[in-house]
């Protein structure tokens, strides 16, 4: 495993640096490194590290969501109101509907199978979007209009919404039927995640105020709390659950509201953690890609992804159509809401593992969505934000 860790970090950082020098998103090099090192190419990564790949990717996601919460300014988000709420559901729903419309035509899927595929494709990637929105807030681009905050909040809820829909559609395809409680659980889990996160943030504020603890130790405490929240969510067998990832982000928000200066110091520590976590995340996502599946459906799946993204961008446009944002700011918001990686890597293989007839097709489309949208979406954000957004 130690050799695999070295192979992940050294080539991953090197290819990321090369891409950065070429004015390309670093994650493109990291994804390519993962594909090259993974089972479908050189097969140099130890099976033990691949077996815990999902957990390592989740740790990286926890780090960046906590950092996002520590830097999120809710005051600008509150000014947007309705669009902020719509961004959580409308773009994903539009992409899901687009996939259900085109899936039977392009891939020969049934309507239920197309719904499963749509639920896999409809999630935006926090791993791609969140660090870039954090950087925009650090540099002051679009912050007065609340654009990074809008995208951050929407991306976090978007994933929870899509994952719950995915579980429901898979159950329906297996003949279990759809439960009303599954749909009720969507807003409830989001709301409970917000409440639990804010309470945890206040608790951390009291703890850090009353006791003198080094900032590094505070980061370790926050990380441990985040791991406990995620473990608790996974262990719940009740009809009503809570979203641990939203709770993790709102823990940072609660801490920032109470102690902004402390939140700034801890956020800087998390920024250093993200340097290594980003490499692990995208190299391991690349290692999960099975190039062999791409030849199965190829061009029809690629066309489906492109057309579904158009539906998604129209959904974003509907969310911001009656806002004071300029046309350039609206275009940036549409582009920034397209990257996919984390959720697709996490759930894209589940239908195949369950033996569903659409399993190969769903996994292939998930792989293509990652390879196409993660680098292109990151590139679009990195190259347009200075031109399309105003600096505060």
């Amino acid at each position: 495993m130690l050799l695999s860790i070295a192979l992940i970090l050294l080539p991953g950082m090197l290819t990321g640096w090369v891409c950065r020098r070429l004015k390309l998103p670093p994650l493109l090099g990291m994804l390519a490194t993962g594909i090259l090192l993974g089972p479908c190419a050189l097969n140099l990564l130890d099976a033990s590290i691949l077996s815990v790949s999902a957990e390592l990717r989740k740790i990286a996601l926890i780090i960046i969501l906590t950092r996002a919460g520590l830097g999120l300014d809710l005051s600008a988000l509150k000014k947007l109101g309705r669009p902020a709420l719509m961004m959580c559901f409308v773009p994903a729903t539009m992409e899901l509907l687009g996939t259900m419309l085109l899936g039977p035509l392009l891939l020969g899927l049934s309507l239920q199978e197309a719904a499963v595929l749509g639920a896999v494709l409809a999630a935006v990637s926090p791993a791609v979007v969140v660090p870039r929105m954090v950087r925009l807030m650090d540099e002051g681009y679009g912050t007065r209009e609340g654009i990074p905050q809008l995208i951050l909040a929407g991306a976090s809820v978007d994933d929870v919404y899509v994952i719950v829909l995915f579980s429901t559609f898979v159950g329906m395809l297996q003949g279990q039927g759809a439960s009303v409680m599954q749909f009720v659980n969507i807003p409830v889990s989001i709301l409970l995640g917000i409440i639990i996160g804010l309470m945890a943030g206040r608790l951390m504020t009291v703890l850090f105020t009353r006791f003198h603890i080094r900032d590094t130790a505070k980061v370790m405490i926050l990380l441990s709390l985040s791991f406990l929240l995620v473990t608790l969510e996974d262990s719940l067998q009740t009809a009503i659950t809570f979203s641990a990832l939203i709770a993790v982000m709102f823990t940072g928000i609660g801490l920032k509201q109470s102690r902004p200066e402390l939140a700034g110091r801890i956020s800087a520590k998390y920024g250093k953690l993200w340097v290594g976590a980003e490499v692990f995340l995208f190299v391991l996502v690349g290692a999960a890609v099975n190039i062999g599946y791409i030849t199965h459906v190829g061009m029809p799946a690629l066309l489906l992804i492109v057309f579904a993204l158009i539906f998604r961008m129209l959904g974003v446009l509907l969310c911001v159509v009656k806002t004071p944002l300029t046309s350039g700011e609206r275009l940036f918001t549409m582009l920034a809401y397209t990257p996919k990686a984390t959720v697709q890597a996490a759930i894209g293989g589940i239908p195949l593992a369950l033996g569903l007839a659409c399993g190969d097709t769903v996994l292939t489309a998930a792989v293509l969505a990652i390879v196409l949208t993660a680098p292109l979406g990151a590139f679009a954000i990195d190259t347009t934000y200075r031109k399309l957004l105003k600096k505060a």
Side-chain angles (χ1 to χ4, degrees):
M1 181 182 284
L2 293 179
L3 176 61
S4 295
I5 292 173
L7 288 174
I8 288 171
L9 288 174
L10 293 176
M13 289 188 293
L14 177 62
T15 54
W17 177 82
V18 170
C19 286
R20 190 177 287 110
R21 297 286 291 180
L22 296 173
K23 306 298 182 183
L24 297 171
L27 70 89
L28 186 58
M30 297 172 195
L31 282 171
T33 300
I35 293 172
L36 186 63
L37 295 176
C40 293
L42 299 178
N43 195 25
L44 294 178
L45 297 181
D46 192 84
S48 57
I49 201 164
L50 292 176
S51 66
V52 295
S53 173
E55 285 75 15
L56 291 173
R57 295 199 303 266
K58 186 167 285 188
I59 290 172
L61 193 58
I62 286 169
I63 289 171
I64 194 56
L65 284 175
T66 306
R67 189 182 175 211
L70 290 167
L72 191 60
D73 181 12
L74 288 182
S75 59
L77 188 61
K78 290 176 182 177
K79 294 177 185 177
L80 292 168
R82 174 192 56 83
L85 180 62
M86 291 179 66
M87 285 284 283
C88 299
F89 308 102
V90 174
T93 302
M94 288 288 289
E95 187 170 6
L96 174 63
L97 292 175
T99 306
M100 291 176 67
L101 177 66
L102 297 170
L105 297 175
L106 293 174
L107 299 175
L109 301 174
S110 69
L111 192 61
Q112 284 186 331
E113 290 173 337
V116 171
L117 175 59
V120 171
L121 296 180
V124 72
S125 173
V128 179
V129 172
V130 171
R132 283 162 175 77
M133 295 306 108
V134 171
R135 187 178 70 204
L136 262 62
M137 291 191 296
D138 291 341
E139 296 181 15
Y141 282 95
T143 52
R144 187 173 296 162
E145 295 79 16
I147 294 170
Q149 297 92 321
L150 173 70
I151 296 170
L152 270 177
S156 303
V157 178
D158 172 282
D159 283 1
V160 177
Y161 172 59
V162 167
I163 289 171
V164 173
L165 286 180
F166 171 77
S167 301
T168 303
F169 293 146
V170 167
M172 292 170 64
L173 202 56
Q174 291 179 306
Q176 298 173 7
S179 167
V180 174
M181 289 303 297
Q182 289 175 309
F183 290 100
V184 170
N185 189 45
I186 296 173
V188 173
S189 65
I190 292 169
L191 182 60
L192 285 177
I194 293 173
I195 293 171
I196 291 171
L198 290 175
M199 290 174 60
R202 297 287 182 177
L203 177 63
M204 291 298 100
T205 302
V206 173
L207 176 65
F208 296 156
T209 302
R210 292 190 178 183
F211 300 97
H212 177 70
I213 305 173
R214 293 178 58 186
D215 287 346
T216 303
K218 291 171 185 172
V219 169
M220 294 172 66
I221 293 171
L222 278 174
L223 275 176
S224 299
L225 176 64
S226 301
F227 297 161
L228 288 172
L229 288 171
V230 171
T231 303
L232 178 61
E233 182 196 18
D234 292 340
S235 63
L236 285 177
Q237 301 296 324
T238 56
I240 297 296
T241 59
F242 73 98
S243 169
L245 293 180
I246 288 182
V248 165
M249 189 173 77
F250 272 85
T251 299
I253 292 173
L255 189 57
K256 178 179 173 62
Q257 287 181 326
S258 303
R259 295 283 302 278
E261 73 291 341
L262 174 61
R265 297 202 310 270
I266 296 177
S267 179
K269 296 280 187 182
Y270 268 90
K272 294 175 182 178
L273 280 177
W274 175 245
V275 173
E278 180 184 32
V279 179
F280 267 97
L281 176 62
F282 289 111
V283 171
L284 289 173
V285 166
V289 171
N290 191 335
I291 300 298
Y293 284 115
I294 294 179
T295 58
H296 288 191
V297 292
M299 189 55 67
L302 194 61
L303 289 173
L304 175 68
I305 292 166
V306 172
F307 282 114
L309 282 177
I310 294 172
F311 276 83
R312 181 179 191 83
M313 294 174 76
L314 288 174
V316 175
L317 185 60
L318 286 175
C319 297
V320 298
V321 70
K322 290 187 177 180
T323 64
L325 300 183
T326 65
S327 57
E329 290 165 344
R330 294 178 187 181
L331 176 60
F332 175 82
T333 306
M334 293 163 66
L335 292 173
Y337 226 51
T338 57
K340 304 175 186 302
T342 323
V343 174
Q344 287 71 29
I347 67 176
I350 291 178
L352 181 63
L354 294 175
L356 299 180
C358 62
D360 276 341
T361 303
V362 171
L363 181 57
T364 304
V367 169
L368 282 172
I370 294 170
V371 174
L372 177 68
T373 66
L376 288 180
F379 182 76
I381 295 170
D382 294 343
T383 56
T384 62
Y385 76 93
R386 287 189 175 93
K387 301 173 184 176
L388 298 179
L389 303 182
K390 302 170 189 172
K391 188 169 184 178

